[in-house]
Amino acid sequence: MNGMDEECSKIMYKAAELAMKSGGVVGTEHIICAMTYFPKSKAGAILAKYGVDSQAVGGFIEEDGRFYSNYVFSDRVNNAVGNARSICKNFGIPTVNSLALLACCLADDNSYACNALRHIGVAPEEIGEEAVDKLVGGAQNNSKPYSQKAERYRDEEESDGNGDALAGLGEDLTQKPRDGKLDPVIGRDSEINRIIEILSRRKKNNPILIG
């Protein structure tokens, strides 16, 4: 996979292999399950620590008895990979690694991966935060450019004091309107309801806003 280290590439290919037996769409649940097949990987080791294995999360991947010759990545996966790439670039890490991918797959609280982990009694927030901690710690130990950016991130986290390691990686567009930090949308009830309907789909869930 372009822009990924060897470990992360193996995970993505395994996720694609799993998806080709269950509809051909690679979701975050496929990536989390694929990570469990590589327990010595950075992400796999964290999942193993929490007792997450392929048998536990594999039950949430529905196989339909067919094998698909092609696969596509879901919007959530594309977003997770894009966010992981941005995070690694911000820390000066040349390629996407499995820690960044794990954290970003679990950053979406409503994803299939998060729901699967909760169903087996595991808190995805804890796993995501540990992945971020190890990502930052690795950046600190590798080289000076990594260290400077990682230290700045760590200082911001500690000064924030809320204990949420994922909060520093993006904006909470759910919390901002609650805090009155976004302008209200007036006279667009039908359009908003339509967007919600599209976003709730399993497939073809990417609305386009025009005007």
Side-chain angles (χ1 to χ4, degrees):
M1 296 287 177
N2 292 334
M4 296 184 175
D5 64 16
E6 183 179 358
E7 181 178 276
C8 199
S9 294
K10 289 180 179 179
I11 289 170
M12 292 299 288
Y13 281 120
K14 182 63 180 179
E17 178 185 323
L18 294 171
M20 290 166 73
K21 299 177 183 178
S22 58
V25 179
V26 181
T28 53
E29 68 276 20
H30 295 101
I31 293 178
I32 297 301
C33 186
M35 288 174 175
T36 65
Y37 284 85
F38 303 94
K40 293 184 179 180
S41 68
K42 297 180 182 69
I46 293 177
L47 291 170
K49 174 184 173 181
Y50 286 83
V52 180
D53 56 27
S54 58
Q55 185 175 3
V57 294
F60 293 89
I61 299 176
E62 298 180 2
E63 296 187 7
D64 57 10
R66 299 172 56 191
F67 185 83
Y68 295 77
S69 58
N70 296 307
Y71 62 88
V72 295
F73 295 114
S74 70
D75 290 337
R76 279 195 170 105
V77 169
N78 284 327
N79 290 336
V81 171
N83 291 338
R85 185 173 287 111
S86 297
I87 291 168
C88 289
K89 182 179 180 180
N90 186 50
F91 284 158
I93 302 173
T95 54
V96 176
N97 62 33
S98 64
L99 290 173
L101 184 62
L102 174 60
C104 290
C105 281
L106 299 182
D108 185 346
D109 193 54
N110 294 318
S111 68
Y112 285 88
C114 287
N115 291 333
L117 291 175
R118 289 194 194 93
H119 192 81
I120 61 175
V122 178
E125 302 84 8
E126 293 183 13
I127 295 178
E129 289 177 10
E130 182 164 340
V132 171
D133 286 342
K134 289 186 179 297
L135 179 68
V136 174
Q140 287 176 325
N141 295 330
N142 275 314
S143 70
K144 188 174 181 180
Y146 290 18
S147 179
Q148 290 173 340
K149 294 181 180 182
E151 279 291 352
R152 184 167 65 250
Y153 173 82
R154 179 73 72 182
D155 291 342
E156 290 172 356
E157 271 301 307
E158 291 177 354
S159 64
D160 185 48
N162 62 12
D164 185 0
L166 294 179
L169 303 178
E171 294 186 61
D172 190 338
L173 295 180
T174 301
Q175 189 60 40
K176 287 186 77 172
R178 290 174 180 166
D179 297 338
K181 295 180 180 179
L182 291 181
D183 293 334
V185 179
I186 301 173
R188 292 290 184 269
D189 289 346
S190 62
E191 288 83 356
I192 291 174
N193 289 332
R194 180 61 174 156
I195 290 173
I196 294 173
E197 178 186 337
I198 293 172
L199 290 173
S200 300
R201 295 174 181 170
R202 179 68 178 87
K203 300 178 181 179
K204 298 182 179 179
N205 55 3
N206 190 18
I208 299 176
L209 304 180
I210 301 173

